[in-house]
Amino acid sequence: MKPSVVSALCLGLLGATAAQAADTGSQAFSMSRVQQTAGQYGRYIGSNVRGMDPLGSLGGNVGYKNTGTGNVGAFNSGTGNVGAFNGNDNTSPTSGNHNIGAFNGNGNTGEYDGNANVGAFNGNFNGGSFNGNGNAGAFNGNFNGRGNR
């Protein structure tokens, strides 16, 4: 086979592989759908628990030492948290809601912080507004907006 034909075939193969890798990479790193789904599940679970009202005297919470409404697990505050140690020590009622997992949405001083996270250690200790929301995994959306005035 002529060297020019071999070169052309190699270039074509590399181009096709690069195009496929770019498509796969964009799909793999697009988290918006994951974040949207995570938030929906957190809201659905919180809504279902409040609707069931299994422990009416405790505001529809199930588990151990939960405050707020519609929480399942242990040591949860806020609304619609499932797991443990979610939604505690927030200065705004719009923060620390609809989280699933452990240690999500705690210690926020702004508004609309630390909501709809799935996993562990997400959406904590944010000082501004609209920080640390919609994360899936671990150690995401922490310590944002510190010192905002």
Side-chain angles (χ1 to χ4, degrees):
M1 199 175 275
K2 292 184 178 180
S4 60
V5 173
V6 173
S7 297
L9 287 173
C10 288
L11 286 173
L13 181 59
L14 285 174
T17 304
Q20 184 177 7
D23 291 344
T24 304
S26 64
Q27 291 171 359
F29 292 105
S30 175
M31 292 299 293
S32 61
R33 185 63 183 150
V34 173
Q35 293 167 351
Q36 181 183 6
T37 303
Q40 285 177 340
Y41 282 128
R43 285 189 289 275
Y44 292 156
I45 291 170
S47 175
N48 288 339
V49 171
R50 287 192 304 277
M52 289 187 307
D53 199 16
L55 301 172
S57 63
L58 300 178
N61 294 307
V62 179
Y64 182 72
K65 297 286 185 180
N66 293 314
T67 60
T69 58
N71 297 301
V72 180
F75 302 101
N76 297 308
S77 295
T79 302
N81 293 302
V82 178
F85 301 100
N86 297 307
N88 299 299
D89 297 318
N90 296 300
T91 59
S92 169
T94 59
S95 295
N97 302 308
H98 311 302
N99 296 295
I100 303 173
F103 300 100
N104 297 311
N106 300 302
N108 296 296
T109 58
E111 296 182 340
Y112 303 101
D113 292 331
N115 299 310
N117 296 295
V118 176
F121 301 100
N122 296 309
N124 301 302
F125 305 108
N126 295 298
S129 296
F130 300 98
N131 292 309
N133 299 311
N135 296 294
F139 300 101
N140 297 305
N142 302 306
F143 300 103
N144 294 301
R146 302 293 286 176
N148 287 353
R149 298 181 195 277

